[in-house]
């Protein structure tokens, strides 16, 4: 039983509309991903700079908590 040409046309139009919305959504998501990657790159660079500013303790590179330091009034 052949399909009604009008039904086929309606289905084709519906598919084209869905494809158009999908393309728009993919483009929006791509822009979000690009912005997030730029933010990640910025944060990575800031973290590198902060790590360079932190003095290493006796060259062993161990983490030292600020709680280990006595306040000046002791």
């Amino acid at each position: 039983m052949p399909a009604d040409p009008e039904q086929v046309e309606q289905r084709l139009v519906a598919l084209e509309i869905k494809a158009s919305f999908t393309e728009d959504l993919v483009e929006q998501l791509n822009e979000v991903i690009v912005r997030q990657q730029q933010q990640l790159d910025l944060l990575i660079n800031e973290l590198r700079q902060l790590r360079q500013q932190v003095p290493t303790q006796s060259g062993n590179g161990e983490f030292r908590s600020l709680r280990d330091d006595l306040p000046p009034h002791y």
Side-chain angles (χ1 to χ4, degrees), residues 37-54:
Q37 185 61 50
Q38 291 170 344
Q39 290 172 338
L40 279 172
D41 292 341
L42 232 171
L43 290 172
I44 289 169
N45 287 333
E46 287 180 15
L47 183 60
R48 277 193 195 120
Q49 291 174 356
L50 288 173
R51 284 184 177 165
Q52 290 174 354
Q53 291 175 6
V54 174

Side-chain angles (χ1 to χ4, degrees), residues 5-65:
E6 189 174 313
Q7 273 185 326
V8 172
E9 180 70 24
Q10 288 175 353
R11 291 181 68 195
L12 183 59
V13 169
L15 287 173
E16 288 174 343
I17 291 171
K18 286 181 182 182
S20 176
F21 280 118
T22 302
E23 288 174 3
D24 289 343
L25 180 60
V26 168
E27 183 61 33
Q28 290 173 5
L29 291 174
N30 188 47
E31 290 173 8
V32 169
I33 290 171
V34 168
R35 276 196 316 271
Q36 287 179 343
Q37 185 61 50
Q38 291 170 344
Q39 290 172 338
L40 279 172
D41 292 341
L42 232 171
L43 290 172
I44 289 169
N45 287 333
E46 287 180 15
L47 183 60
R48 277 193 195 120
Q49 291 174 356
L50 288 173
R51 284 184 177 165
Q52 290 174 354
Q53 291 175 6
V54 174
T56 57
Q57 292 188 2
S58 66
N60 60 9
E62 290 182 22
F63 175 76
R64 189 178 89 189
S65 174

